[in-house]
């Protein structure tokens, strides 16, 4: 059992969940588990809980019967080993699973009709990758909309060790019932062959020699790390928070606090990535079905992979394992799935004074990271905490682009970029939705939209220099859909109206929007109706424990979010002033594909920041320690002047005796 109400499920608790359901409901091999997750206690109860108080651990299991396709949710009391609720969920489709992905590949590899269709095109079936995707309701064949339906992309390797995504089999998709693994249709539109592309990237396969002119770069901490890990609780400098991990969101950051003097101040209750939506902006046969909800339809946690020291992480690393269920309800452990470490980030603050000398402090940040492989793409997720009170979430996208053969050798293509011989990479978008349950000095918060505006020339502003800010209170959920405005440098502040800083302003944290872009869909588009959350860059809702997934609890094969999701949540127009609010920030990568992204894409980085704005009375990193220079100190005392300042840049053999240690 976890020692804290928010601790993630252990392997024993996952096993206990499936054991109770087998005993109480006869769950056997005719069923599949989509997920088993911690049933988080109500926020109100967690905030009242004190260390040592008893509490009940519960799990939520989602599973379905493969023959009837009926879906059920079961809540298991792990403390008492009893089934508390068993709820039928008609008309929904749970997330697809890794087990199904592999079962589909195995089935199609043996299917005579599929093999014959590939051989007819001159493709060796044994060199093919079958890539299972889910459907959205609108593009599903109507005759099979009541099934657990998948469609399959097909890719051919040039050699057994070759890039599996080098050669898309254009104009051919397979429609499959994922419950029975019955091939319903081999859907063929055209055959453009396999262009001769330069798509290999592994040195041994491509035949190039890796460069040898880079010397080793080592990061060491001879005295060990500066953070503490106590169960799920992490402490680093003035920060304290809990870390969870589940199948859908991957890492979850809980109960974030910052020590300000003798006070532990609340900043956030819960932060995570709640959805990732990747529509391909190409209506052709090869791509019109390609509108992935990677978090809701599959699960970010399921796709997280083991990390390797020196490759994925560098420095003094602490690794945590990920424990998730398979489709039998049995625990599966992914070793080293979360990386915890500190890293240098250049200068934190600095000033050179000609009389008093130089004061400089190095920036150090604490990082929580995971890497998720989503078929052809990799998403690298970093949550970073800084000594000045900033929190950053950065996503790096890499991997291999989807490409498509063309009929002719042309230089341009209307919905993509030509990246190789007779091959284009379609334009697409990666929308990420961060769920930010901020509690700035407590739960009673108000969100203010802040715009910067130039003042007109007047008697008091004759040169037009004055720059003003204007705040708009987001008063209710009817006003909660907001868009970024570059010309006004718009940002959003989460204020606590009942707590003032030393200068009389409400304490606040500011969401600094970066990496956001418009959805660029026609308002009548069925794709936008399915996930209207991407239509704005920010949404604000009143907190409810059950409102977790902005595109709905079950976005697989979904048509809209009217019964559960952002549209449904806003329908009651709840007030948002001085209450418990949740921010939903929509950001990501507007991927106008490049030739430089082929055959493997260097990371594309996107991030946003949460910055204290009047939360502290002054710079909270004033007490950052001086860093020792090589042979001296990075501090030059009074009267040292420029010579000592230059000395303290870390040159070998430099001795700086100017008051530092």
């Amino acid at each position: 059992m976890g020692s804290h109400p928010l601790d993630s499920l252990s392997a024993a608790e996952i096993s206990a969940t499936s054991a109770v359901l087998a005993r109480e409901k006869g769950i056997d091999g005719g069923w599949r588990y989509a997920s088993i997750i911690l049933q988080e206690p109500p926020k109100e109860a967690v905030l009242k809980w004190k260390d040592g108080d008893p509490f009940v651990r519960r799990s939520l299991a989602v599973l379905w019967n493969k023959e009837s396709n009926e879906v059920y949710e079961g809540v298991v009391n792990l403390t008492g080993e009893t089934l508390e609720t068993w709820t039928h969920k008609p008309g929904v489709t749970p997330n697809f699973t890794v087990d199904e992905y592999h079962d589909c590949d195995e089935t199609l590899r043996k299917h005579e009709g599929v093999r014959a269709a590939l051989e007819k095109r001159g493709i060796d079936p044994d060199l093919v990758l079958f890539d299972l995707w889910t459907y959205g309701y609108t593009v599903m064949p109507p005759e099979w909309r009541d099934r657990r339906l998948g469609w399959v992309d097909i890719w051919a390797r040039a050699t057994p060790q070759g890039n599996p995504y080098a050669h898309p089999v254009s104009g051919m998709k397979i429609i499959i019932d994922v419950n029975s693994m019955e091939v319903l249709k081999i859907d063929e539109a055209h055959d453009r062959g396999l262009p001769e592309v330069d798509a290999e990237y592994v040195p041994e396969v491509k035949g190039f020699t890796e460069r040898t002119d880079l010397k080793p770069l080592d990061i060491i901490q001879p005295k060990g790390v500066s953070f503490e890990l106590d169960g799920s609780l992490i402490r680093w400098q003035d920060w304290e928070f809990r870390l969870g991990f589940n199948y859908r969101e991957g890492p979850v950051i809980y109960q974030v606090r910052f020590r300000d003097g003798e006070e532990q101040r609340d900043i956030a209750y819960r932060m995570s990535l709640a959805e990732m939506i990747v529509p391909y902006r190409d209506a052709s046969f090869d791509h019109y079905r390609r509108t992935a909800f990677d978090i809701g339809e599959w699960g970010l946690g399921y796709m997280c992979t083991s990390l390797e020291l020196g490759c994925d992480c560098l420095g003094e690393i602490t690794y945590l394992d990920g424990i998730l269920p398979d489709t039998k309800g049995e625990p599966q452990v992914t070793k080293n799935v979360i990386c915890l470490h500190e890293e240098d980030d250049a200068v934190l603050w600095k000033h050179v004074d000609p009389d008093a000398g130089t004061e400089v402090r190095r920036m150090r940040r604490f990082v929580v990271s995971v890497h998720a492989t989503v078929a052809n793409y990799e998403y690298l997720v970093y949550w970073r905490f800084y000594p000045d009170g900033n929190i950053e979430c950065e996503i790096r996208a890499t991997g291999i682009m989807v490409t498509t053969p063309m009929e002719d050798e042309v230089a341009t293509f209307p919905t993509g970029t030509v990246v190789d011989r007779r091959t284009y990479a379609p334009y697409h978008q990666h929308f990420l939705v961060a769920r930010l349950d901020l509690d700035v000095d407590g739960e009673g918060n108000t969100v203010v939209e802040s715009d910067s505006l130039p003042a007109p020339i007047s008697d008091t502003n004759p040169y037009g220099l004055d720059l003003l800010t204007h705040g708009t209170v987001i008063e209710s959920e009817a006003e909660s859909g907001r868009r970024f405005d570059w010309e006004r440098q718009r940002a959003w502040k989460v204020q606590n109206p009942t707590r003032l800083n030393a200068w009389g302003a409400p304490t606040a944290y500011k969401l600094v929007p970066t990496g956001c872009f418009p959805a660029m869909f026609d308002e009548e588009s069925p794709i936008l109706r399915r996930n209207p959350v991407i239509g704005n860059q920010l949404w604000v809702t009143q907190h409810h424990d059950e409102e977790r997934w902005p595109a709905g609890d079950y976005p697989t094969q979904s048509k809209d979010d009217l019964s559960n999701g952002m549209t449904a949540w806003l329908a009651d127009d709840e007030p948002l002033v001085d209450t418990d609010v949740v921010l939903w920030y929509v950001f990501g990568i507007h991927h106008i594909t490049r030739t430089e992204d082929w055959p493997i894409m260097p990371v594309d980085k996107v991030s946003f920041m949460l910055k204290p704005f009047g939360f502290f009375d002054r710079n909270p990193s004033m007490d950052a320690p001086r860093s020792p220079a090589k042979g001296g100190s990075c501090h030059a005392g009074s009267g040292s002047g420029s010579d000592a300042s230059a000395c303290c840049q870390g040159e070998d053999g430099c001795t700086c005796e100017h008051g530092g240690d």
Side-chain angles (χ1 to χ4, degrees):
M1 291 290 185
S3 60
H4 186 275
L6 296 176
D7 284 350
S8 300
L9 293 180
S10 66
E13 289 175 318
I14 291 172
S15 296
T17 299
S18 55
V20 168
L21 288 167
R23 184 187 71 218
E24 298 296 328
K25 291 297 176 181
I27 302 304
D28 56 19
W31 294 73
R32 282 189 187 268
Y33 283 85
S35 60
I36 300 175
I37 195 171
L38 174 72
Q39 177 81 328
E40 294 182 17
K43 179 178 178 180
E44 181 181 9
V46 174
L47 294 178
K48 290 179 179 178
W49 181 82
K50 291 184 171 43
D51 192 20
D53 290 351
F55 60 94
V56 175
R57 294 275 286 175
R58 293 181 174 87
S59 61
L60 169 64
V62 175
L63 59 166
W64 76 97
N65 185 290
K66 289 192 290 183
E67 183 175 351
S68 67
N69 206 30
E70 291 182 309
V71 181
Y72 286 84
E73 292 180 356
V75 175
V76 172
N77 182 319
L78 294 165
T79 306
E81 296 187 3
T82 59
L83 178 62
E84 289 191 344
T85 63
W86 178 250
T87 307
H88 181 219
K89 305 294 290 186
V92 303
T93 302
N95 55 277
F96 277 27
T97 68
V98 176
D99 291 351
E100 289 175 298
Y101 185 95
H102 293 305
D103 289 350
C104 177
D105 178 82
E106 184 177 341
T107 297
L108 298 184
R109 205 164 290 285
K110 299 175 182 177
H111 191 277
E112 291 184 3
V114 172
R115 294 183 69 88
L118 290 169
E119 288 169 350
K120 184 178 179 181
R121 290 177 175 235
I123 297 170
D124 183 350
D126 294 325
L127 293 180
V128 157
L129 168 70
F130 295 106
D131 192 8
L132 176 65
W133 287 64
T134 66
Y135 267 106
Y137 179 87
T138 307
V139 297
M140 292 177 71
E143 65 269 32
W144 297 313
R145 281 179 175 164
D146 60 339
R147 300 203 188 199
R148 186 171 174 84
L149 199 67
W151 68 274
V152 181
D153 247 349
I154 310 172
W155 307 81
R157 301 176 190 262
T159 66
Q161 291 77 37
N163 176 2
Y165 293 100
H167 301 281
V169 180
S170 180
M172 182 177 178
K173 311 293 180 187
I174 300 170
I175 302 173
I176 186 168
D177 183 319
V178 184
N179 279 328
S180 63
M181 291 297 165
E182 176 189 358
V183 174
L184 301 173
K185 183 179 181 180
I186 300 174
D187 193 7
E188 294 195 76
H190 56 258
D191 181 2
R192 294 177 185 154
L194 304 180
E196 291 294 326
V197 296
D198 183 10
E200 303 302 339
Y201 61 93
V202 176
E204 292 79 6
V205 177
K206 183 155 179 80
F208 67 82
T209 303
E210 297 181 68
R211 64 188 307 155
T212 58
D213 56 340
L214 294 178
K215 303 300 188 289
L217 176 63
D218 295 323
I219 299 173
I220 61 171
Q221 292 179 270
K223 295 184 179 180
V225 300
S226 304
F227 61 90
E228 300 175 10
L229 180 63
D230 182 8
S232 64
L233 182 64
I234 295 172
R235 296 187 182 94
W236 178 75
Q237 294 198 24
D238 294 314
W239 290 102
E240 175 184 291
F241 60 90
R242 290 191 177 273
L243 179 60
F245 185 81
N246 64 56
Y247 86 96
R248 190 154 179 167
E249 299 156 289
V252 182
I253 311 294
Y254 295 107
Q255 294 189 296
V256 181
R257 299 186 177 101
F258 194 96
R259 186 179 67 247
D260 185 14
E262 298 300 316
E263 182 184 6
Q264 287 279 11
R265 299 177 64 186
D266 291 332
I267 295 173
Y269 178 73
R270 195 181 192 280
M271 301 189 299
S272 69
L273 295 176
E275 192 53 88
M276 180 162 59
I277 302 163
V278 187
Y280 277 70
R281 309 307 301 268
D282 183 332
S284 68
F285 174 87
D286 281 326
H287 302 298
Y288 77 88
R289 295 169 252 225
R290 206 182 297 277
T291 53
F293 288 57
D294 287 321
I295 288 178
E297 292 178 334
W298 289 94
L300 189 67
Y302 278 144
M303 295 180 287
C304 287
T305 56
S306 297
L307 303 175
E308 293 286 343
L309 183 62
C311 306
D312 307 301
C313 308
L314 194 61
E316 297 294 325
I317 307 299
T318 296
Y319 291 108
L320 301 178
D321 297 339
I323 305 173
L324 300 174
D326 62 12
T327 55
K328 297 178 182 178
E330 298 173 355
Q332 301 293 310
V333 177
T334 303
K335 300 293 291 183
N336 297 352
V337 76
I338 299 177
C339 169
L340 307 177
H341 75 287
E342 301 167 279
E343 61 187 22
D344 183 80
D345 189 39
V347 170
L348 170 63
W349 54 261
K350 179 177 182 177
H351 183 62
V352 179
D353 187 284
D355 297 320
T358 300
E359 290 285 352
V360 59
R361 301 294 186 271
R362 296 293 302 177
M363 174 82 83
R364 186 186 299 200
R365 59 191 183 188
F366 180 77
V367 186
V368 178
S369 64
V370 298
H371 294 183
T373 297
V374 186
N376 55 299
Y377 263 112
E378 265 77 20
Y379 296 94
L380 321 180
V381 180
Y382 302 89
W383 288 93
R384 299 186 178 121
F385 296 83
Y386 292 83
D388 57 357
N390 287 340
I391 302 171
E392 179 186 31
C393 177
E394 181 186 84
I395 311 298
R396 299 185 176 195
T398 179
I400 304 171
M401 294 188 299
V402 167
T403 58
T404 314
M406 300 180 294
E407 291 283 3
D408 303 307
E409 195 82 47
V410 296
T412 62
F413 196 83
T415 56
T417 299
V418 176
V419 297
D420 212 320
R421 297 178 186 86
R422 208 161 52 82
T423 297
Y424 78 97
Y427 304 145
H428 55 283
Q429 295 164 303
H430 306 250
F431 292 93
L432 292 139
V433 185
R435 183 183 189 273
L436 306 170
D437 183 357
L438 301 187
D439 286 356
V440 178
D441 279 324
E443 298 167 84
N445 290 171
T446 299
V447 181
V448 177
E449 185 171 84
S450 177
D451 291 334
S452 297
L453 303 168
I457 291 178
S458 64
D459 291 342
T460 59
N461 183 34
Y463 306 109
L465 284 171
D466 286 0
L467 182 67
L468 310 176
T469 59
H470 175 75
T472 302
V473 174
I474 303 175
E475 295 188 348
S476 75
E477 290 179 337
E479 306 170 4
S480 73
R482 317 301 294 186
R483 293 191 176 181
F484 176 66
D485 188 332
W486 180 85
E487 292 188 354
R488 298 189 174 200
Q489 285 299 286
R490 179 166 290 168
W492 294 281
K493 292 187 290 186
V494 181
Q495 298 181 338
N496 188 321
T498 64
R499 170 110 182 217
L500 306 182
N501 62 24
W503 321 116
T507 60
Y509 255 75
K510 180 169 71 172
L511 169 60
V512 181
T514 56
C516 56
F517 52 92
M520 300 183 182
F521 277 97
D522 188 292
E523 291 297 326
E524 298 303 314
S525 168
I527 307 303
L528 189 61
R529 287 204 304 271
R530 189 181 174 208
N531 59 102
V533 66
I534 67 174
N536 289 304
Q537 286 74 61
L538 182 78
W539 302 84
V540 185
T541 61
Q542 192 176 121
H543 172 269
H544 293 284
D545 291 319
E546 67 277 10
E547 293 181 359
R548 193 76 58 80
W549 320 117
D553 290 356
Y554 296 97
T556 309
Q557 299 182 188
S558 66
K559 183 178 183 180
D560 53 49
D561 69 341
L562 297 178
S563 61
N564 181 259
M566 188 60 68
T567 302
W569 301 343
L570 302 182
D572 55 3
D573 191 22
E574 290 183 300
L576 296 175
V577 175
D578 193 13
T579 189
D580 193 358
V581 296
V582 178
L583 277 63
W584 309 80
Y585 179 55
V586 183
F587 68 114
I589 298 170
H590 182 71
H591 196 172
I592 302 300
T593 49
R594 309 178 301 153
T595 55
E596 291 85 355
D597 294 331
W598 181 250
I600 190 164
M601 177 181 165
V603 292
D604 202 343
K605 296 183 283 188
V606 64
S607 65
F608 68 87
M609 297 286 290
L610 295 169
K611 298 178 72 73
F613 194 94
F615 186 81
F616 302 104
D617 295 337
R618 55 186 52 80
N619 180 353
S621 64
M622 294 286 291
D623 61 351
R626 293 170 177 148
S627 303
K630 293 182 179 180
S633 168
C634 288
H635 167 64
S638 177
S640 58
S642 59
D643 291 341
S645 176
C647 169
C648 292
Q649 300 310 305
E651 298 178 12
D652 289 339
C654 171
T655 302
C656 296
E657 298 175 352
H658 303 289
D661 54 22

